[in-house]
Amino acid sequence: MSTGVLAILSLLPILAVGIFLVGLRWPASKAMPISYIIAVGLALFVWKVPGANVAAASVNGLVVAGTLLFIIFGAILLLNTLQESGGIKTIRQGFTDISADRRVQVIIIAWLFGSFIEGSAGFGTPAAVAVPLLVGLGFPAMAAVVAGMVIQSTPVSFGAVGTPILVGVQSGLSADSGITTDFLAFVTDIGTKVAFLHMVTGTLVPLFVVALMTRFFGKNKSFSEGIKVWKFALFAAFSMTVPYLIVANVLGPEFPSMIGGLVGLAIVITAARKGFLMPPKEEAWDFEEKSKWDSEWSGRLEIKDIAHKSGSMSMVRAWAPYILVGLFLVLTRLKSLPLLEWLQSWTVTFPNLFGTDISSSFQPLYLPGTIFIAVSLITYFLHGMNGRAYKRAWAQSGKTMIAASTALVFTVPMVQVFLNTGGGAAGFEKMPIELANGVAAIAGDYWPFFSTFIGGIGAFIAGSNTVSNMMFSLFQYNVGSQMGVDASWIVALQAVGGAAGNMICVHNVVAASAVVGLVGKEGAVIRKTLLPFAYYALFAGSLGYSIVWYSQKGIFNLGSFIVALIAMAAIYVIATNNKRTSLLITKNIGGPKVKQG
């Protein structure tokens, strides 16, 4: 069977997701079973994978889905605990004191706080923390999920203390022992290239977040209302990405997102309190009142305005649970501390499922869900809650988690079947590699443009930048070598594309939506995140093309042309918006002329 035909067949499960989930707007609970059946059918009858392997991959997917549901439950429980204790009311007031402008709030929480949490824990944890916090502040559930997904790009490559680079890229390349003798130094060098690509491409991410929010969830459905805060958005972007790039070059892949997010938070919150680059108070942007929201924006998670039993709570006490979450995530992920080894020592393993070489395992104490539940219990005592309120928090959290289970029990098994199609009697490579082979066969010298999209598709399927890098890093390296360019840049583009793929990854969207009770609207979320994903993959790919072909094609090549075109388009949109705003202000200041008599 030809490479092209195999590539098309490999694409079918993904096309099913695109058609039913995104195109026809089916809920994931209905669309994903179809995608699973297609993946199983291809595995059994085309790739001729033994039925035991397909069953084992499916069971492994169910185990992974269970761990995701555990994380979802913990995140919801923490939010509900804070709601019942009155902590959310105090946090909301604190952000209002900094700025009542929702555009400012979403940048601080999603972009900066989310980047810090991503650097600490990774694996979708920012959505489990930042998304419900935004809902608690009064954001529509869908707006919160979209914001949480879009920022799942720049910080992701260095999430979970550098796991996508140190584990994903290194494991992917280690299959070829002839690449280099000093593997760690080589991977670290790739990490610095990844940081540079992210730093440049990620500059517009905060602006994307606010523009999408005002366009899809604002009264006037206007991109321009988000673009008005471009100065603050770019300031927040550089406040994270500049220290991020410095750390990647000085300390390596473990800490760029964590330190970049933390430094960015300190800089931006301090500047915001002093009014630096902030929109005027009288122009603060907000959503319409809740009664006017579109019905599909709201989830089942109802945020109630509950005050603390004493009538008030200090800001430090209200924020303490989130501070503890961040602290515990850092302490339990650092290899230099004994906690990591202790938490990972208890591993529940299901070896050689159905007699295959597929095994499944999880580490209950190491999962972020355990930290969320532990912090929830601490909050019960810290905030002086009563038993009845805490019981309500547990009951509501259980109901919300169960609603998400149907989608995940088909989504993750489909992913595992798709990834485990190698070694079948037909002799084909696993589906993701056959898909990449098909694209590489037609791309030629233009491969850098496609390399980011392949990384993105890998993350879209697997739900993980780390897994995408493990699948495709060696493939990308070999394509780069065959092209005669610096292959480490091609691997870096893979890692950047894999990070951007988290924006549209089905099971990440399902998980983030489930945290705020937004079940059945996953396709609507992905439709809104497709544009920023396309920008990220295209811009980074164009930048990579310009870099790898610079010595042979000069600075004026197709890649640099597209980079310049996108940059000029962004400048034009900002300048046009500024001009329109200035004319409006001038008109308002002038007011109606009164004839003197």
Side-chain angles (χ1 to χ4, degrees):
M1 197 175 292
S2 70
T3 299
V5 172
L6 285 173
I8 293 171
L9 290 173
S10 300
L11 192 61
L12 290 180
I14 301 171
L15 282 177
V17 175
I19 292 169
F20 295 108
L21 185 70
V22 181
L24 298 180
R25 306 189 179 195
W26 286 16
S29 58
K30 292 183 178 179
M32 296 316 297
I34 294 176
S35 182
Y36 171 74
I37 291 169
I38 293 172
V40 169
L42 289 170
L44 290 173
F45 303 113
V46 179
W47 268 254
K48 298 189 184 304
V49 176
N53 287 55
V54 173
S58 299
V59 170
N60 185 36
L62 290 174
V63 172
V64 175
T67 63
L68 286 172
L69 288 169
F70 180 63
I71 294 170
I72 290 168
F73 173 77
I76 301 168
L77 176 63
L78 180 58
L79 178 70
N80 282 331
T81 301
L82 280 165
Q83 180 186 217
E84 293 290 345
S85 74
I88 285 294
K89 182 179 176 67
T90 302
I91 290 172
R92 186 188 301 122
Q93 184 58 49
F95 268 101
T96 302
D97 291 343
I98 295 175
S99 174
D101 197 308
R102 301 297 192 177
R103 298 168 297 186
V104 173
Q105 293 175 2
V106 77
I107 288 174
I108 293 174
I109 295 173
W111 169 246
L112 297 171
F113 187 52
S115 293
F116 167 70
I117 296 297
E118 175 64 36
S120 305
F123 300 103
T125 309
V129 177
V131 170
L133 179 54
L134 287 170
V135 173
L137 294 177
F139 283 66
M142 187 175 287
V145 172
V146 169
M149 289 297 98
V150 173
I151 71 96
Q152 289 290 284
S153 47
T154 310
V156 169
S157 289
F158 303 104
V161 202
T163 297
I165 302 296
L166 294 175
V167 176
V169 171
Q170 188 160 316
S171 297
L173 294 177
S174 63
D176 186 349
S177 58
I179 291 179
T180 180
T181 54
D182 191 349
F183 233 89
L184 182 59
F186 183 60
V187 170
T188 301
D189 177 63
I190 290 174
T192 61
K193 291 178 170 68
V194 170
F196 171 76
L197 293 168
H198 271 311
M199 189 263 185
V200 178
T201 310
T203 298
L204 293 180
V205 167
L207 196 57
F208 260 110
V209 170
V210 292
L212 290 173
M213 184 176 73
T214 58
R215 169 62 181 86
F216 292 115
F217 306 101
K219 176 183 178 181
N220 299 317
K221 300 292 187 291
S222 166
F223 282 117
S224 64
E225 290 181 332
I227 295 169
K228 283 179 183 177
V229 295
W230 67 272
K231 293 180 182 178
F232 183 81
L234 294 182
F235 169 64
F238 289 125
S239 295
M240 196 285 275
T241 58
V242 171
Y244 165 99
L245 181 61
I246 293 171
V247 170
N249 281 273
V250 175
L251 299 179
E254 291 96 336
F255 303 109
S257 296
M258 188 191 306
I259 294 178
L262 197 59
V263 171
L265 273 171
I267 292 173
V268 172
I269 290 178
T270 301
R273 289 188 183 279
K274 296 181 180 297
F276 181 68
L277 299 180
M278 293 281 282
K281 291 183 178 180
E282 61 273 12
E283 296 180 18
W285 188 90
D286 200 354
F287 304 101
E288 286 191 284
E289 59 183 58
K290 192 172 182 179
S291 62
K292 296 182 180 179
W293 291 358
D294 190 304
S295 59
E296 77 169 6
W297 297 356
S298 299
R300 298 179 183 178
L301 189 65
E302 289 292 331
I303 303 298
K304 300 172 184 176
D305 198 26
I306 300 174
H308 188 256
K309 62 183 182 181
S310 66
S312 64
M313 182 187 296
S314 71
M315 196 60 64
V316 172
R317 194 177 175 192
W319 268 101
Y322 285 113
I323 295 171
L324 288 173
V325 166
L327 180 64
F328 290 166
L329 287 172
V330 172
L331 293 177
T332 56
R333 267 63 185 169
L334 292 178
K335 295 178 182 178
S336 56
L337 297 178
L339 275 173
L340 176 63
E341 185 178 352
W342 178 73
L343 291 173
Q344 291 183 330
S345 62
W346 180 28
T347 301
V348 179
T349 305
F350 305 96
N352 306 113
L353 293 164
F354 304 115
T356 69
D357 59 357
I358 299 174
S359 299
S360 188
S361 64
F362 63 96
Q363 297 163 324
L365 295 178
Y366 185 69
L367 289 172
T370 301
I371 290 176
F372 294 149
I373 292 172
V375 172
S376 171
L377 290 168
I378 293 171
T379 304
Y380 171 78
F381 296 103
L382 184 66
H383 288 184
M385 296 177 64
N386 63 61
R388 183 179 299 175
Y390 196 49
K391 184 178 179 180
R392 281 198 304 269
W394 276 79
Q396 186 59 45
S397 302
K399 291 177 183 178
T400 307
M401 179 199 69
I402 290 170
S405 60
T406 306
L408 284 175
V409 297
F410 284 101
T411 301
V412 190
M414 183 279 288
V415 167
Q416 291 300 316
V417 171
F418 191 87
L419 298 179
N420 286 280
T421 44
F428 304 143
E429 295 269 16
K430 63 179 69 174
M431 288 189 203
I433 298 299
E434 290 292 1
L435 177 58
N437 282 333
V439 177
I442 61 174
D445 290 351
Y446 298 103
W447 177 253
F449 291 114
F450 295 91
S451 57
T452 49
F453 285 94
I454 288 296
I457 289 172
F460 171 81
I461 298 164
S464 167
N465 187 193
T466 301
V467 175
S468 179
N469 291 345
M470 290 173 70
M471 281 195 297
F472 292 125
S473 286
L474 183 57
F475 172 85
Q476 298 266 18
Y477 182 88
N478 289 336
V479 173
S481 299
Q482 291 167 14
M483 289 167 55
V485 301
D486 184 348
S488 65
W489 276 108
I490 304 299
V491 178
L493 289 171
Q494 151 65 38
V496 171
N502 279 259
M503 295 190 210
I504 55 172
C505 164
V506 178
H507 85 52
N508 279 358
V509 172
V510 171
S513 300
V515 172
V516 291
L518 192 70
V519 178
K521 305 298 180 184
E522 299 85 3
V525 172
I526 294 176
R527 283 195 299 276
K528 293 174 175 61
T529 58
L530 275 172
L531 176 62
F533 166 73
Y535 152 76
Y536 214 99
L538 178 61
F539 189 93
S542 302
L543 185 60
Y545 180 94
S546 178
I547 291 169
V548 300
W549 287 119
Y550 167 74
S551 61
Q552 297 182 45
K553 300 187 178 184
I555 191 170
F556 298 107
N557 55 57
L558 181 59
S560 58
F561 173 75
I562 294 177
V563 167
L565 194 64
I566 293 174
M568 287 189 295
I571 293 170
Y572 173 77
V573 169
I574 291 171
T576 303
N577 183 75
N578 272 2
K579 184 177 180 180
R580 189 183 301 118
T581 303
S582 298
L583 289 172
L584 182 62
I585 291 173
T586 303
K587 183 178 179 181
N588 289 340
I589 290 175
K593 299 295 182 182
V594 179
K595 185 177 181 179
Q596 300 294 320

